[in-house]
């Protein structure tokens, strides 16, 4: 039986190996986008000052835009030297960085080139996005999805081939360094695959939600709910004085939280250990700024919880730096496995030809 799984492992790895390496390497880069994506763009100096009122900040952004775009939201951060982010109606992800102490526009939010390339590779195999109107987005996404399913089968077949008996478990977890390069890479391939399996499988099961609609529907259905709706938050911001009134009340209760304000609605990110997309929602009157409703995260629909966990588990942010470094270690090993596998396969072919 192991011979059958050995052949499955080999003949899935040969055509999909390089794409697996690309997915893992690009994923390793994207793990840290939220931590480093704003560097060089959003730094401000507080000098012990208090931020300007929210209505003053938004009016400065509105004046800068001069009617060429619309403000739809603003994000504030617990770090006093992180600029505020003013979200715009178009295009997707458009935003401005604004100095909350002076009202000066620092610049446009720009996704760093390294993260743009990594995202394009990881999600679409370098195909252009839908916003760019390209067919390549659909084709690349499909190839990534198929490769991800192939990777799951590669991992399962590899584990079956590797699986030890009671007597040789210890030997199966040792990487030999004194028995030649072939033995070293063979052991590295086996042990590295076992070590990285759990993280890679988590990434596979969560990542497929972005590849296939049928999988996403089935995934949510397994947990007894429907696919979570996406929040567009594209309503134009109005009555900035009401925003200021609402913000003051919410900031006083949540002084150390990331706060995302939209027209009539505010999300306060809870953070901490676990679901990094967990947030409670405040609703406020757009005329007076008075808080009209508070929806704790625990009371939100189950689909909202699942959506947050899918993202959190996929990028490895559930335990902050510890889990991110763990994921980085595992996906780097995952990226190297096809390379070591090709090396072992070619070596065997050479040996067979000599015989």
């Amino acid at each position: 039986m192991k011979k059958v799984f050995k052949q499955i492992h080999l003949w899935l790895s040969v055509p999909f190996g390089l794409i697996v390496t690309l997915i893992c390497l690009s994923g390793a880069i994207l793990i840290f986008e939220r931590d480093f994506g704003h560097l060089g763009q959003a730094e401000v100096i507080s000098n012990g000052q208090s931020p300007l009122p929210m209505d003053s900040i938004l009016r400065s952004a509105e004046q800068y835009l001069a009617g060429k775009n619309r403000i739809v939201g603003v994000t504030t951060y617990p770090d006093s030297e992180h600029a505020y982010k003013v979200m715009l109606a178009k295009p997707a992800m458009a935003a401005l960085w604004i100095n909350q102490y002076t009202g000066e526009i620092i610049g446009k939010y720009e996704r760093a080139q390294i993260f743009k390339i990594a995202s394009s590779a990881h999600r679409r195999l370098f195909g252009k996005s839908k916003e760019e109107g390209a067919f390549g987005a659909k084709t690349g996404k499909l190839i990534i999805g198929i490769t991800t399913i192939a990777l799951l089968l590669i991992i399962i077949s590899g584990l079956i081939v590797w699986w030890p008996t009671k007597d040789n478990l210890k030997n199966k977890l040792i990487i030999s360094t004194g028995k030649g390069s072939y033995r070293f890479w063979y052991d590295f391939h086996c042990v590295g695959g076992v070590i990285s399996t759990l993280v890679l499988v988590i990434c596979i099961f969560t990542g497929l939600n972005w590849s296939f609609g049928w999988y996403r529907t089935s995934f949510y259905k397994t947990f007894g709910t429907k696919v979570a709706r996406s929040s567009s938050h594209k309503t134009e911001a109005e009555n900035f004085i009401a925003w200021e009134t609402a913000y003051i009340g919410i900031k006083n209760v949540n002084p150390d939280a990331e706060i995302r304000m939209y027209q009539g609605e505010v999300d306060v990110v809870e953070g901490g250990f676990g679901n990094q997309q967990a947030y409670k929602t405040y609703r406020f009157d757009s005329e007076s700024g008075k808080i009209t409703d508070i929806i704790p995260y625990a009371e939100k629909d189950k689909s909202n919880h699942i959506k947050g966990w899918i993202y959190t588990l996929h990028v490895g942010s559930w335990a902050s730096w510890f889990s991110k470094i763990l994921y980085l270690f595992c996906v780097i090993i995952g990226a190297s496995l096809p390379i070591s596998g090709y090396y072992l396969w070619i070596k065997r072919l050479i040996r067979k030809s000599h015989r």
Side-chain angles (χ1 to χ4, degrees):
M1 184 60 72
K2 282 193 175 185
K3 286 183 179 180
V4 174
F5 283 103
K6 194 172 183 180
Q7 290 302 308
I8 292 171
H9 186 78
L10 173 62
W11 295 114
L12 283 174
S13 299
V14 170
F16 291 108
L18 290 178
I19 304 176
V20 168
T21 295
L22 180 66
I23 291 172
C24 289
L25 289 178
S26 55
I29 294 169
L30 293 171
I31 288 171
F32 297 100
E33 182 171 11
R34 279 182 173 265
D35 302 289
F36 302 119
H38 65 279
L39 294 182
Q41 297 183 39
E43 291 83 3
V44 294
I45 299 173
S46 64
N47 284 331
Q49 304 173 74
S50 295
L52 295 171
M54 182 59 71
D55 61 317
S56 176
I57 290 169
L58 292 174
R59 277 199 298 271
S60 293
E62 190 177 52
Q63 188 176 1
Y64 174 84
L65 292 168
K68 295 177 182 178
N69 210 330
R70 295 179 293 113
I71 297 170
V72 296
V74 61
T75 300
T76 69
Y77 302 88
D79 180 358
S80 63
E81 300 201 335
H82 192 309
Y84 286 7
K85 188 178 186 181
V86 177
M87 283 85 84
L88 307 179
K90 58 183 182 181
M93 297 178 69
L96 298 173
W97 294 115
I98 187 167
N99 187 324
Q100 62 267 34
Y101 304 107
T102 65
E104 176 190 0
I105 301 299
I106 299 171
K108 293 180 180 179
Y109 163 75
E110 294 284 351
R111 196 176 191 187
Q113 195 65 24
I114 187 170
F115 296 120
K116 278 185 183 178
I117 294 170
S119 179
S120 174
H122 194 74
R123 301 187 68 180
R124 304 182 299 274
L125 198 63
F126 298 113
K128 291 184 178 180
S129 65
K130 279 184 182 178
E131 288 77 17
E132 296 169 301
F135 176 72
K138 208 168 185 179
T139 308
K141 197 174 177 182
L142 178 62
I143 295 170
I144 292 293
I146 292 170
T147 302
T148 305
I149 293 171
L151 176 57
L152 179 62
L153 296 175
I154 289 167
I155 289 171
I156 292 170
S157 58
L159 279 174
I160 292 170
V161 172
W162 169 85
W163 202 258
T165 61
K166 290 181 181 179
D167 299 331
N168 68 345
L169 175 60
K170 186 178 178 181
N171 292 334
K172 287 273 190 174
L173 293 173
I174 293 174
I175 299 177
S176 303
T177 56
K179 297 181 180 179
S181 60
Y182 181 88
R183 180 58 187 269
F184 170 80
W185 287 112
Y186 177 81
D187 289 344
F188 173 85
H189 188 82
C190 295
V191 176
V194 172
I195 289 172
S196 60
T197 288
L198 181 59
V199 166
L200 292 178
V201 168
I202 289 171
C203 290
I204 288 167
F205 280 119
T206 53
L208 284 170
N209 279 279
W210 286 282
S211 294
F212 301 111
W214 58 265
Y215 177 88
R216 184 165 55 250
T217 302
S218 302
F219 191 92
Y220 278 83
K221 196 172 182 180
T222 302
F223 292 95
T225 186
K226 293 181 179 179
V227 175
R229 292 180 180 179
S230 297
S231 301
S232 58
H233 291 303
K234 291 297 182 182
T235 305
E236 183 176 357
E238 296 176 348
N239 192 0
F240 297 153
I241 293 174
W243 281 50
E244 167 64 9
T245 303
Y247 181 74
I248 289 173
I250 293 167
K251 183 67 175 175
N252 286 339
V253 179
N254 307 276
D256 300 315
E258 180 179 317
I259 298 174
R260 304 167 185 165
M261 290 196 76
Y262 309 99
Q263 182 64 20
E265 190 171 290
V266 182
D267 292 335
V268 178
V269 180
E270 294 188 354
F273 181 87
N275 187 352
Q276 298 303 296
Q277 298 292 299
Y279 56 86
K280 57 186 169 186
T281 298
Y282 292 78
R283 294 203 174 108
F284 66 92
D285 183 85
S286 57
E287 294 298 323
S288 65
K290 181 181 177 182
I291 303 301
T292 58
D293 193 16
I294 303 173
I295 307 170
Y297 173 69
E299 294 179 12
K300 289 181 179 260
D301 190 80
K302 188 192 287 187
S303 63
N304 186 283
H305 290 221
I306 293 169
K307 182 181 179 182
W309 272 112
I310 287 171
Y311 178 82
T312 299
L313 288 172
H314 190 72
V315 302
S317 59
W318 45 270
S320 190
W321 284 96
F322 168 76
S323 53
K324 288 180 181 182
I325 292 170
L326 172 66
Y327 271 51
L328 177 65
F329 175 72
C330 290
V331 296
I332 290 295
I333 290 176
S336 70
L337 293 177
I339 307 304
S340 57
Y342 284 131
Y343 169 81
L344 296 171
W345 178 54
I346 291 167
K347 273 283 193 180
R348 287 195 199 106
L349 291 178
I350 292 170
R351 285 180 181 178
K352 283 184 180 179
S353 67
H354 285 323
R355 286 174 191 161

